[in-house]
Amino acid sequence: MSRTEIANRIRSAVAEVVKQPVFIKWMKQEQIGEGLILLNNSFIYRQRLKTIKSELYLGIPTRSASNLGVSNLVAVRGIAFHTDFKFVELKGIKKLQIDELQTAIDKELERLGSIVMVLIGEVSNKMITRESIGHSLFAEIELDPTSSAALTVSDKTIRINSMADEETIWAELEQIHGANLPEDFAEPLATALDHIRKRHYAILTLPGESTPSSSLLDSFVDALRQNVTQYKKAWNKCKGHLDMDPAEFNNVLRIAYNFATDAVLVIRLLISICDLKPIVRWCMVDEWFQLAESFRTLPWAKMKDKPSLDTYQQTVNNARNRAFHRLLPVDNTLRVELEGTKLGRITLRLFPEYVARNTEETMDYEDRALVELLSDFTRVSEKSVSPQFWQRNIAVMEGAIALLSRTSSALKLLSKASAPSQKLTGPPRYALPVSTSSAS
């Protein structure tokens, strides 16, 4: 039954794509007759990826522009193209290798493997990590994320459920101790906490016969949703203008920066997964298309670069850096001519953009150390971002969330269908490094 569900999900995703205005517009520009419409397997501009896109394309059989066989999808190889859609006439189909959708699903499930299922593994943060303190006052500290108490003391053992705030740990220990803690206790306690932070881990269990209710990817989705909610509230108050509400505008920049850093990393991972396991992409080809469109509709008109993950991230970073990393009032690179009997005539360039800080020539002379210190000063990019960018960025964020959510759902479905062929005696368990800043 799961394999039928997979086929239906793929057909439903393709049906959503063909409803999109961009697809309808493309259809009107093409002479669609009997043949195949192929959907590209990578809608987002590819940069800094270690994988190449799959050779398999989803194909929609056609008789005419008004007669699309979405219910009879096929998987096609033997062709390469870079546009979102491509029509292949009937005479060109003979050169292609074509599988019916169900056949392609069976083949893909056989080679799906379990590595991709890490994303829908269930995280269990129940491990207890201990570390010796080596002090006459307290001998050991223990991190137990399952403990209901923030901090307790038993004999000479300290038990905590979180390492979120070391100052709070110190204050609570003093309260329990009933007096100020000795100064020579600070260093061994800090060292013990640091060792716990480095050694503590959670367990990630891959799905077995039962699908995890809350997966690693689901936790990503929840975090992104919370941040988008905050982003929308901040946007509604500042409308993308610093002078309207400086505090909320800074919140827009902060959340956008964090999103661009983390979500883009996950999106790149998903692109690579779909390159290697195209069936994952097929299950949510509509969400991939929608996300690509949200990137394309950002106001790129005044930017020379193509809309891409790299360009998006750099645009957000520049805007954020200018707001948060600008203290010294220098807006331009400074050029200065120096002369001296030992030095001769040289030209220094001070305050280059941060990204160009390592491109200046190295010089060797008596005052070189001083010049190198002056060269450490940089300035942030002058590029500004329009309020419209921050407004349309909401669609990018929501598109990414929808993609991650559908990926989680698709992987759970694929896991059920492929589980028998994996011949697993039990769900594999992996040690997963986790933040020790809060309790599970």
mmCIF file with all atom_site columns, all heavy atoms in Angstrom, residues 391-402:
data_model
loop_
_atom_site.group_PDB
_atom_site.id
_atom_site.type_symbol
_atom_site.label_atom_id
_atom_site.label_alt_id
_atom_site.label_comp_id
_atom_site.label_asym_id
_atom_site.label_entity_id
_atom_site.label_seq_id
_atom_site.pdbx_PDB_ins_code
_atom_site.Cartn_x
_atom_site.Cartn_y
_atom_site.Cartn_z
_atom_site.occupancy
_atom_site.B_iso_or_equiv
_atom_site.pdbx_formal_charge
_atom_site.auth_seq_id
_atom_site.auth_comp_id
_atom_site.auth_asym_id
_atom_site.auth_atom_id
_atom_site.pdbx_PDB_model_num
ATOM 1  N N   . GLN A 1 391 ? 9.988  42.064 2.944  1.00 0.00 ? 391 GLN A N   1
ATOM 2  C CA  . GLN A 1 391 ? 8.595  41.600 2.884  1.00 0.00 ? 391 GLN A CA  1
ATOM 3  C C   . GLN A 1 391 ? 8.502  40.288 2.099  1.00 0.00 ? 391 GLN A C   1
ATOM 4  O O   . GLN A 1 391 ? 7.880  39.315 2.551  1.00 0.00 ? 391 GLN A O   1
ATOM 5  C CB  . GLN A 1 391 ? 7.710  42.667 2.238  1.00 0.00 ? 391 GLN A CB  1
ATOM 6  C CG  . GLN A 1 391 ? 6.247  42.255 2.172  1.00 0.00 ? 391 GLN A CG  1
ATOM 7  C CD  . GLN A 1 391 ? 5.391  43.290 1.480  1.00 0.00 ? 391 GLN A CD  1
ATOM 8  O OE1 . GLN A 1 391 ? 5.878  44.057 0.631  1.00 0.00 ? 391 GLN A OE1 1
ATOM 9  N NE2 . GLN A 1 391 ? 4.123  43.351 1.836  1.00 0.00 ? 391 GLN A NE2 1
ATOM 10 N N   . ARG A 1 392 ? 9.128  40.239 0.938  1.00 0.00 ? 392 ARG A N   1
ATOM 11 C CA  . ARG A 1 392 ? 9.060  39.031 0.113  1.00 0.00 ? 392 ARG A CA  1
ATOM 12 C C   . ARG A 1 392 ? 9.873  37.887 0.704  1.00 0.00 ? 392 ARG A C   1
ATOM 13 O O   . ARG A 1 392 ? 9.682  36.728 0.337  1.00 0.00 ? 392 ARG A O   1
ATOM 14 C CB  . ARG A 1 392 ? 9.539  39.346 -1.305 1.00 0.00 ? 392 ARG A CB  1
ATOM 15 C CG  . ARG A 1 392 ? 8.608  40.290 -2.050 1.00 0.00 ? 392 ARG A CG  1
ATOM 16 C CD  . ARG A 1 392 ? 9.010  40.452 -3.497 1.00 0.00 ? 392 ARG A CD  1
ATOM 17 N NE  . ARG A 1 392 ? 8.130  41.377 -4.189 1.00 0.00 ? 392 ARG A NE  1
ATOM 18 C CZ  . ARG A 1 392 ? 8.256  41.710 -5.474 1.00 0.00 ? 392 ARG A CZ  1
ATOM 19 N NH1 . ARG A 1 392 ? 9.251  41.177 -6.193 1.00 0.00 ? 392 ARG A NH1 1
ATOM 20 N NH2 . ARG A 1 392 ? 7.417  42.551 -6.036 1.00 0.00 ? 392 ARG A NH2 1
ATOM 21 N N   . ASN A 1 393 ? 10.761 38.237 1.610  1.00 0.00 ? 393 ASN A N   1
ATOM 22 C CA  . ASN A 1 393 ? 11.548 37.201 2.279  1.00 0.00 ? 393 ASN A CA  1
ATOM 23 C C   . ASN A 1 393 ? 10.656 36.287 3.120  1.00 0.00 ? 393 ASN A C   1
ATOM 24 O O   . ASN A 1 393 ? 11.021 35.145 3.411  1.00 0.00 ? 393 ASN A O   1
ATOM 25 C CB  . ASN A 1 393 ? 12.613 37.854 3.166  1.00 0.00 ? 393 ASN A CB  1
ATOM 26 C CG  . ASN A 1 393 ? 13.653 36.869 3.646  1.00 0.00 ? 393 ASN A CG  1
ATOM 27 O OD1 . ASN A 1 393 ? 14.116 36.018 2.901  1.00 0.00 ? 393 ASN A OD1 1
ATOM 28 N ND2 . ASN A 1 393 ? 14.014 36.966 4.916  1.00 0.00 ? 393 ASN A ND2 1
ATOM 29 N N   . ILE A 1 394 ? 9.491  36.774 3.496  1.00 0.00 ? 394 ILE A N   1
ATOM 30 C CA  . ILE A 1 394 ? 8.536  35.941 4.243  1.00 0.00 ? 394 ILE A CA  1
ATOM 31 C C   . ILE A 1 394 ? 8.152  34.728 3.402  1.00 0.00 ? 394 ILE A C   1
ATOM 32 O O   . ILE A 1 394 ? 8.071  33.598 3.908  1.00 0.00 ? 394 ILE A O   1
ATOM 33 C CB  . ILE A 1 394 ? 7.290  36.750 4.641  1.00 0.00 ? 394 ILE A CB  1
ATOM 34 C CG1 . ILE A 1 394 ? 7.669  37.850 5.646  1.00 0.00 ? 394 ILE A CG1 1
ATOM 35 C CG2 . ILE A 1 394 ? 6.208  35.836 5.231  1.00 0.00 ? 394 ILE A CG2 1
ATOM 36 C CD1 . ILE A 1 394 ? 6.534  38.803 5.981  1.00 0.00 ? 394 ILE A CD1 1
ATOM 37 N N   . ALA A 1 395 ? 7.924  34.936 2.102  1.00 0.00 ? 395 ALA A N   1
ATOM 38 C CA  . ALA A 1 395 ? 7.557  33.825 1.223  1.00 0.00 ? 395 ALA A CA  1
ATOM 39 C C   . ALA A 1 395 ? 8.702  32.822 1.106  1.00 0.00 ? 395 ALA A C   1
ATOM 40 O O   . ALA A 1 395 ? 8.471  31.603 1.015  1.00 0.00 ? 395 ALA A O   1
ATOM 41 C CB  . ALA A 1 395 ? 7.176  34.357 -0.159 1.00 0.00 ? 395 ALA A CB  1
ATOM 42 N N   . VAL A 1 396 ? 9.946  33.304 1.106  1.00 0.00 ? 396 VAL A N   1
ATOM 43 C CA  . VAL A 1 396 ? 11.102 32.411 1.060  1.00 0.00 ? 396 VAL A CA  1
ATOM 44 C C   . VAL A 1 396 ? 11.137 31.550 2.318  1.00 0.00 ? 396 VAL A C   1
ATOM 45 O O   . VAL A 1 396 ? 11.328 30.328 2.257  1.00 0.00 ? 396 VAL A O   1
ATOM 46 C CB  . VAL A 1 396 ? 12.411 33.215 0.925  1.00 0.00 ? 396 VAL A CB  1
ATOM 47 C CG1 . VAL A 1 396 ? 13.621 32.304 1.071  1.00 0.00 ? 396 VAL A CG1 1
ATOM 48 C CG2 . VAL A 1 396 ? 12.456 33.931 -0.428 1.00 0.00 ? 396 VAL A CG2 1
ATOM 49 N N   . MET A 1 397 ? 10.953 32.194 3.462  1.00 0.00 ? 397 MET A N   1
ATOM 50 C CA  . MET A 1 397 ? 10.972 31.466 4.728  1.00 0.00 ? 397 MET A CA  1
ATOM 51 C C   . MET A 1 397 ? 9.854  30.418 4.778  1.00 0.00 ? 397 MET A C   1
ATOM 52 O O   . MET A 1 397 ? 10.073 29.261 5.158  1.00 0.00 ? 397 MET A O   1
ATOM 53 C CB  . MET A 1 397 ? 10.822 32.441 5.895  1.00 0.00 ? 397 MET A CB  1
ATOM 54 C CG  . MET A 1 397 ? 12.025 33.339 6.112  1.00 0.00 ? 397 MET A CG  1
ATOM 55 S SD  . MET A 1 397 ? 11.711 34.496 7.476  1.00 0.00 ? 397 MET A SD  1
ATOM 56 C CE  . MET A 1 397 ? 13.393 34.984 7.870  1.00 0.00 ? 397 MET A CE  1
ATOM 57 N N   . GLU A 1 398 ? 8.657  30.832 4.400  1.00 0.00 ? 398 GLU A N   1
ATOM 58 C CA  . GLU A 1 398 ? 7.526  29.904 4.429  1.00 0.00 ? 398 GLU A CA  1
ATOM 59 C C   . GLU A 1 398 ? 7.710  28.782 3.415  1.00 0.00 ? 398 GLU A C   1
ATOM 60 O O   . GLU A 1 398 ? 7.327  27.628 3.677  1.00 0.00 ? 398 GLU A O   1
ATOM 61 C CB  . GLU A 1 398 ? 6.223  30.661 4.171  1.00 0.00 ? 398 GLU A CB  1
ATOM 62 C CG  . GLU A 1 398 ? 5.842  31.593 5.305  1.00 0.00 ? 398 GLU A CG  1
ATOM 63 C CD  . GLU A 1 398 ? 4.584  32.390 5.039  1.00 0.00 ? 398 GLU A CD  1
ATOM 64 O OE1 . GLU A 1 398 ? 4.254  32.605 3.844  1.00 0.00 ? 398 GLU A OE1 1
ATOM 65 O OE2 . GLU A 1 398 ? 3.932  32.816 6.012  1.00 0.00 ? 398 GLU A OE2 1
ATOM 66 N N   . GLY A 1 399 ? 8.323  29.095 2.279  1.00 0.00 ? 399 GLY A N   1
ATOM 67 C CA  . GLY A 1 399 ? 8.597  28.062 1.283  1.00 0.00 ? 399 GLY A CA  1
ATOM 68 C C   . GLY A 1 399 ? 9.594  27.039 1.791  1.00 0.00 ? 399 GLY A C   1
ATOM 69 O O   . GLY A 1 399 ? 9.452  25.833 1.540  1.00 0.00 ? 399 GLY A O   1
ATOM 70 N N   . ALA A 1 400 ? 10.602 27.505 2.510  1.00 0.00 ? 400 ALA A N   1
ATOM 71 C CA  . ALA A 1 400 ? 11.597 26.591 3.078  1.00 0.00 ? 400 ALA A CA  1
ATOM 72 C C   . ALA A 1 400 ? 10.967 25.689 4.137  1.00 0.00 ? 400 ALA A C   1
ATOM 73 O O   . ALA A 1 400 ? 11.254 24.488 4.200  1.00 0.00 ? 400 ALA A O   1
ATOM 74 C CB  . ALA A 1 400 ? 12.760 27.372 3.669  1.00 0.00 ? 400 ALA A CB  1
ATOM 75 N N   . ILE A 1 401 ? 10.105 26.270 4.953  1.00 0.00 ? 401 ILE A N   1
ATOM 76 C CA  . ILE A 1 401 ? 9.427  25.477 5.985  1.00 0.00 ? 401 ILE A CA  1
ATOM 77 C C   . ILE A 1 401 ? 8.548  24.413 5.346  1.00 0.00 ? 401 ILE A C   1
ATOM 78 O O   . ILE A 1 401 ? 8.534  23.249 5.779  1.00 0.00 ? 401 ILE A O   1
ATOM 79 C CB  . ILE A 1 401 ? 8.595  26.397 6.899  1.00 0.00 ? 401 ILE A CB  1
ATOM 80 C CG1 . ILE A 1 401 ? 9.516  27.257 7.757  1.00 0.00 ? 401 ILE A CG1 1
ATOM 81 C CG2 . ILE A 1 401 ? 7.646  25.592 7.784  1.00 0.00 ? 401 ILE A CG2 1
ATOM 82 C CD1 . ILE A 1 401 ? 8.799  28.330 8.548  1.00 0.00 ? 401 ILE A CD1 1
ATOM 83 N N   . ALA A 1 402 ? 7.791  24.801 4.318  1.00 0.00 ? 402 ALA A N   1
ATOM 84 C CA  . ALA A 1 402 ? 6.929  23.834 3.627  1.00 0.00 ? 402 ALA A CA  1
ATOM 85 C C   . ALA A 1 402 ? 7.756  22.708 3.018  1.00 0.00 ? 402 ALA A C   1
ATOM 86 O O   . ALA A 1 402 ? 7.366  21.537 3.066  1.00 0.00 ? 402 ALA A O   1
ATOM 87 C CB  . ALA A 1 402 ? 6.112  24.547 2.543  1.00 0.00 ? 402 ALA A CB  1
#
